[in-house]
């Protein structure tokens, strides 16, 4: 840890500890999240937050769908802070599982990019921003990929991996297939799935986890994939020649949000924790350590650090957005059609 960051963290912890109510002692904050990057999150988030709050922390882990289902069964109870990708947090909002937040308790919101401050109408902020785009092995794909339409190129026959339809990125492929066919996938599913059918000869396998996709690159089974950018560093560690495609239409913005469920037992601790992870010091450290892309505008990264992330005002301004509510409404009808095409 750099001296500057360490000093800033210690100063922030010291100041916060003076302001933390004694009632926080002996309380437990329960967090629902993926459990990904656990060791780094323990070192850079959980340990310093425990020191600040004097509380215990426990977890519920699993993928988005599993954890949202548990929260729904419990009618919004059982956890105090819930991490979800934006399409799943939108489902939670529509199901009435989350509280609208008191923004005055989140003093670090002002330092965020506008896209992250209030992405879903009064509910949780985004704590990181990402992209869905295309990655490819530049040593094997000799003509650079520069457009979403390149997914249909003949030279990518039997060499492409797509995210499964139930993943965060899967439904976005349907949207892009619609655009390839010249139709709006939300209005013309037949047209969009004609594009998916036309893409099938290029597809080796659908993947459901980042590790599956990385393994496909490692074994040489695929040379290109539709992917989220948080996987890029791990793919490059396995296959250094893999690059992120610079797409003329832009990559698609994805947000990971953090919410307080309506049945939270410790909502004040939840506010403290959310404000903590949105602090410039924590956001800086997590970006430097390869955990999450920053949403705080003041974070400064080296070109090497920034290469892994959706980072900087210009990059963020160039992202495409897809309406999560419309995507969720359409997704149910798309699953069976996707599975019919890919024999799942």
């Amino acid at each position: 840890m750099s001296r500057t960051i360490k000093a800033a963290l210690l100063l922030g912890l010291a100041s916060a500890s003076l302001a933390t109510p004694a009632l926080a002692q002996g309380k437990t904050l329960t967090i629902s999240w993926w459990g990904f990057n656990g060791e780094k999150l323990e070192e850079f988030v959980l340990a310093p937050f425990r020191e600040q709050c004097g509380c215990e922390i426990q977890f519920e882990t699993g993928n988005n769908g599993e954890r949202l289902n548990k929260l729904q069964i419990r009618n919004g109870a059982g956890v105090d802070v819930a991490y979800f990708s934006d399409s799943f947090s939108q489902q939670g909002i529509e199901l009435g599982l989350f509280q609208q937040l008191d923004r005055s308790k989140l003093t670090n919101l002002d330092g965020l990019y506008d896209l992250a401050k209030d992405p879903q109408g009064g509910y949780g902020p985004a704590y990181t921003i990402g992209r869905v785009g295309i990655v490819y092995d530049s040593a094997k794909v000799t003509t650079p990929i520069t457009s979403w339409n390149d997914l249909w190129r003949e030279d990518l026959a039997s060499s492409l991996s797509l995210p499964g339809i139930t993943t965060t990125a899967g439904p976005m492929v349907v949207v892009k297939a619609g655009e390839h066919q010249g139709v709006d996938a939300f209005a013309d599913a037949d047209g969009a799935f004609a594009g998916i059918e036309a893409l099938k000869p290029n597809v080796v396998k659908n993947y459901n986890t980042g590790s599956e996709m990385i393994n496909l690159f490692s074994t040489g089974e695929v040379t290109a994939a539709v992917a989220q950018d948080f996987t890029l560093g791990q793919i490059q560690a396995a296959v250094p020649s893999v690059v992120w495609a610079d797409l003329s239409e832009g990559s698609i913005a994805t947000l990971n949000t953090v919410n307080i469920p309506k049945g939270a037992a410790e909502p004040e601790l939840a506010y403290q924790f959310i404000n903590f992870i949105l602090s410039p010091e924590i956001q800086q450290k997590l970006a430097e350590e390869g955990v999450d892309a920053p949403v705080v505008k003041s974070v400064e990264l080296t070109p090497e650090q920034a290469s892994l992330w959706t980072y900087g005002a210009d990059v963020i301004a160039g992202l495409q957005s897809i309406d999560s509510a419309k995507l969720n409404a359409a997704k149910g009808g798309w699953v069976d059609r996707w599975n019919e095409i890919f024999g799942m």
Side-chain angles (χ1 to χ4, degrees), residues 253-281:
T254 59
L255 300 174
N256 284 349
T257 64
V258 59
N259 276 279
I260 301 177
K262 69 177 186 180
E266 301 291 349
E268 294 309 312
L269 270 181
Y271 275 109
Q272 289 180 40
F273 181 80
I274 293 172
N275 204 49
F276 182 78
I277 64 173
L278 297 178
S279 69
E281 298 82 13

Side-chain angles (χ1 to χ4, degrees), residues 167-187:
T167 67
T168 297
M172 298 177 187
V173 178
V174 180
V175 174
K176 288 300 172 184
E179 292 176 4
H180 179 73
Q181 296 294 111
V183 303
D184 177 351
F186 299 117

Side-chain angles (χ1 to χ4, degrees), residues 10-330:
L10 292 174
L11 178 60
L13 291 173
S15 300
S17 64
L18 294 175
T20 302
L23 290 176
Q25 304 295 321
K27 291 191 174 183
T28 298
L29 178 73
T30 304
I31 300 172
S32 172
W33 64 2
W34 298 273
F36 190 67
N37 271 322
E39 290 184 3
K40 289 184 177 181
L41 288 169
E42 170 61 34
E43 180 178 358
F44 301 120
V45 176
L46 302 180
F49 186 72
R50 286 192 196 94
E51 186 175 344
Q52 171 180 306
C53 72
C55 60
E56 297 296 321
I57 302 176
Q58 63 183 20
F59 309 98
E60 182 168 275
T61 59
N63 65 34
N64 281 293
E66 292 168 346
R67 293 184 296 105
L68 186 64
N69 185 55
K70 289 178 182 178
L71 195 58
Q72 184 179 6
I73 290 170
R74 299 191 303 257
N75 197 29
V79 298
D80 304 304
V81 174
Y83 284 66
F84 286 103
S85 60
D86 52 2
S87 62
F88 285 89
S89 58
Q90 181 64 39
Q91 289 182 47
I93 290 166
E94 293 166 3
L95 290 167
L97 301 179
F98 300 133
Q99 303 179 21
Q100 288 211 327
L101 299 188
D102 181 349
R103 322 303 280 189
S104 70
K105 295 181 179 180
L106 299 174
T107 56
N108 285 321
L109 280 181
D110 287 344
L112 274 56
Y113 288 105
D114 289 343
L115 184 66
K117 290 178 180 178
D118 185 14
Q120 293 173 315
Y123 293 88
Y127 68 89
T128 189
I129 183 170
R131 294 169 289 177
V132 171
I134 302 171
V135 293
Y136 67 97
D137 187 344
S138 60
K140 296 179 179 178
V141 181
T142 55
T143 302
I145 292 175
T146 60
S147 168
W148 284 99
N149 290 316
D150 288 346
L151 291 174
W152 283 262
R153 284 185 350 202
E154 291 183 2
D155 63 308
L156 295 183
S158 301
S159 61
L160 176 67
S161 184
L162 298 179
I165 188 62
T166 60
T167 67
T168 297
M172 298 177 187
V173 178
V174 180
V175 174
K176 288 300 172 184
E179 292 176 4
H180 179 73
Q181 296 294 111
V183 303
D184 177 351
F186 299 117
D188 185 356
D190 290 342
F193 276 92
I196 296 293
E197 187 72 54
L199 186 59
K200 183 180 178 181
N202 286 5
V203 179
V204 175
K205 185 178 181 180
N206 291 175
Y207 69 87
N208 290 302
T209 66
S211 58
E212 278 185 81
M213 187 255 294
I214 293 165
N215 187 59
L216 289 169
F217 273 103
S218 298
T219 59
E221 293 177 74
V222 304
T223 60
V226 174
Q228 291 183 260
D229 65 348
F230 73 85
T231 63
L232 181 59
Q234 297 170 71
I235 301 170
Q236 290 176 332
V239 184
S241 52
V242 170
V243 297
W244 185 266
D246 184 10
L247 303 175
S248 58
E249 308 93 337
S251 299
I252 301 168
T254 59
L255 300 174
N256 284 349
T257 64
V258 59
N259 276 279
I260 301 177
K262 69 177 186 180
E266 301 291 349
E268 294 309 312
L269 270 181
Y271 275 109
Q272 289 180 40
F273 181 80
I274 293 172
N275 204 49
F276 182 78
I277 64 173
L278 297 178
S279 69
E281 298 82 13
I282 295 299
Q283 288 267 310
Q284 178 80 40
K285 195 61 186 173
L286 294 180
E288 289 177 350
E289 294 293 332
V291 178
D292 282 315
V295 291
V296 171
K297 291 182 286 186
S298 63
V299 169
E300 295 186 3
L301 301 177
T302 66
E304 182 179 2
Q305 292 165 341
S307 67
L308 297 176
W309 297 129
T310 304
Y311 167 76
D314 291 343
V315 171
I316 290 171
L319 295 174
Q320 295 184 310
S321 294
I322 293 179
D323 187 312
S324 293
K326 289 175 68 174
L327 200 67
N328 287 342

